[in-house]
Amino acid sequence: MQTKSITQLDKSITPFKHKLNSSLTKKEITVLQINLGKRCNLACTHCHVEASPKRTEELSPEICQQLIEVIHRFPEIQIVDLTGGAPEMNYGFKPLVEAAKLTGKQVIVRSNLTIYFEDEFGDLPEYCAKHQVKIVASLPCYLADNVDKMRGIGVFDSSVKALQWLNQLGYGKEPNLILDLVYNPQLPTSEKFSLAPEQTTLERDYKMFLQEHFKIVFNNLFTITNLPVGRTKMHLERKKLYTSYLQFLESHFNPSTVEHLMCRNELSIDYLGNVYDCDFNQMMNLPAKTHNGEPLTVAKLLEAGSLNLINEIQTAPYCYGCTAGCGSSCGGALL
């Protein structure tokens, strides 16, 4: 296994902060992204959360109540973005959906689709439609073999059935029932690295294939680069590709993406109530810091009565994944 210390890595990778020639700062916070926990019915090979059916970590009632208070107290939050694990499996999913809708915010749930066929979760499509929840669904390819390699045998077929179910409810058709799909590249097995294909072209291909073969429609396709975090990082280390992949990402750094980085207008919250600049920092345990350098928590946001407690966004070498080529974010390409 290839493991390098931070010091060794710094010799071959330019610190991201140095590439910018300045610190990365927040804009107004408009997105609250909440990772409800690591419980999931799948264990995907590229999962940066390292979620699985064996994980038990999830939101507590106390932290859930704090988050509901944040949703109510800060009108500048426009979007509540629920992720996991399978967010629907973890404590607090429905209370957070309903708190956000009550305050007029858009709700996004990042779904693996297969959760709809698990015991106790068959009501989710109708529930999401009732509350006009925007569904962002993982479908890393439109070909069955590629999806099943990344996510497990039978996942493609289940995903197709779930998408057809959502279409029957009006998702992808009615203006208030948005259904977006997410593409992830296959994990590299050699140094023949590549960035995600051009998003608009790939979206057209997805739409043609899914309509022709399954009568499925959806709104948008998001292309997301595999960042070297979580299981993707483990895979790269096993293949002795970790450092060379980071070098590849750095070599494709595009300064035009920096203005649009998702970390600039969002707060990422974990199931323990800790605050991060983004979901990737959360998985790498790189917390957001207050003005005086202390790790930030939801309780501190409430105590201060402000979301603007972060002077500088915490950065790391994997930030090159979000700034390579056309850029990458939870909302797809940045440019």
Side-chain angles (χ1 to χ4, degrees):
M1 179 181 290
Q2 177 192 29
T3 55
K4 282 196 173 187
S5 70
I6 294 297
T7 303
Q8 289 174 307
L9 192 58
D10 282 349
K11 292 179 180 178
S12 59
I13 306 296
T14 307
F16 187 75
K17 186 176 176 180
H18 293 178
K19 185 75 75 171
L20 300 181
N21 296 317
S22 65
S23 60
L24 193 60
T25 56
K26 290 284 193 188
K27 302 178 181 180
E28 182 181 23
I29 302 301
T30 57
V31 179
L32 189 69
Q33 186 175 69
I34 305 169
N35 189 302
L36 279 72
K38 298 181 184 289
R39 296 177 61 214
C40 190
N41 59 312
L42 301 178
C44 302
T45 60
H46 64 299
C47 180
H48 70 283
V49 181
E50 300 176 55
S52 81
K54 296 180 180 179
R55 303 298 290 263
T56 59
E57 305 96 316
E58 65 179 333
L59 198 67
S60 69
E62 177 188 4
I63 301 302
C64 182
Q65 193 55 48
Q66 289 180 3
L67 288 166
I68 288 171
E69 189 174 347
V70 167
I71 289 168
H72 279 275
R73 282 181 59 182
F74 297 104
E76 61 265 43
I77 296 172
Q78 299 171 14
I79 297 171
V80 176
D81 185 343
L82 303 177
T83 184
E88 306 98 326
M89 283 186 75
N90 290 274
Y91 180 86
F93 172 71
K94 289 183 178 179
L96 289 168
V97 167
E98 290 160 29
K101 296 304 293 187
L102 187 64
T103 52
K105 305 182 193 308
Q106 183 185 51
V107 180
I108 297 173
V109 58
R110 297 188 180 271
S111 183
N112 66 29
L113 297 174
T114 65
I115 187 65
Y116 303 160
F117 304 105
E118 299 287 340
D119 292 343
E120 302 179 24
F121 298 102
D123 68 321
L124 283 171
E126 284 80 5
Y127 176 85
C128 289
K130 175 185 175 183
H131 293 282
Q132 297 184 343
V133 173
K134 178 179 177 179
I135 295 175
V136 178
S138 179
L139 193 71
C141 185
Y142 53 74
L143 301 176
D145 285 351
N146 287 347
V147 172
D148 286 359
K149 282 178 186 175
M150 292 178 76
R151 312 198 67 205
I153 300 299
V155 168
F156 181 81
D157 288 343
S158 294
S159 298
V160 164
K161 291 175 184 175
L163 291 170
Q164 291 170 333
W165 187 353
L166 291 170
N167 280 172
Q168 289 170 6
L169 294 171
Y171 270 99
K173 301 175 181 179
E174 297 179 14
N176 291 324
L177 296 177
I178 303 298
L179 174 61
D180 296 332
L181 301 184
V182 174
Y183 163 88
N184 290 93
Q186 297 286 303
L187 295 179
T189 56
S190 72
E191 291 195 355
K192 294 180 180 179
F193 304 126
S194 61
L195 298 175
E198 199 276 324
Q199 185 167 279
T200 303
T201 303
L202 188 60
E203 178 180 289
R204 183 190 64 220
D205 293 344
Y206 260 71
K207 286 186 171 180
M208 288 176 59
F209 186 90
L210 293 176
Q211 172 66 45
E212 180 181 347
H213 291 84
F214 306 108
K215 305 300 182 189
I216 288 170
V217 296
F218 65 94
N219 296 97
N220 307 291
L221 178 73
F222 299 148
T223 56
I224 298 183
T225 299
N226 288 322
L227 265 69
V229 171
R231 290 200 187 110
T232 297
K233 180 175 186 284
M234 295 176 192
H235 167 86
L236 291 167
E237 287 177 334
R238 282 195 300 271
K239 298 290 184 181
K240 295 183 168 56
L241 295 172
Y242 178 59
T243 300
S244 54
Y245 184 62
L246 280 171
Q247 291 169 337
F248 167 78
L249 294 175
E250 181 187 350
S251 71
H252 288 80
F253 172 73
N254 183 348
S256 299
T257 62
V258 175
E259 177 68 16
H260 309 287
L261 288 172
M262 62 183 180
C263 58
R264 304 198 68 182
N265 70 332
E266 80 168 26
L267 297 178
S268 171
I269 317 293
D270 72 8
Y271 63 92
L272 296 171
N274 299 307
V275 179
Y276 303 81
D277 292 305
C278 73
D279 194 47
F280 300 111
N281 279 359
Q282 182 182 144
M283 296 311 133
M284 295 300 286
N285 196 28
L286 188 62
K289 300 288 183 68
T290 64
H291 298 318
N292 58 7
E294 295 178 357
L296 189 56
T297 64
V298 175
K300 288 178 181 176
L301 295 175
L302 291 170
E303 182 182 354
S306 172
L307 300 179
N308 302 310
L309 302 181
I310 300 170
N311 271 347
E312 181 179 345
I313 295 169
Q314 303 298 306
T315 60
Y318 49 79
C319 296
Y320 286 117
C322 292
T323 55
C326 291
S328 179
S329 75
C330 289
L334 297 174
L335 301 176

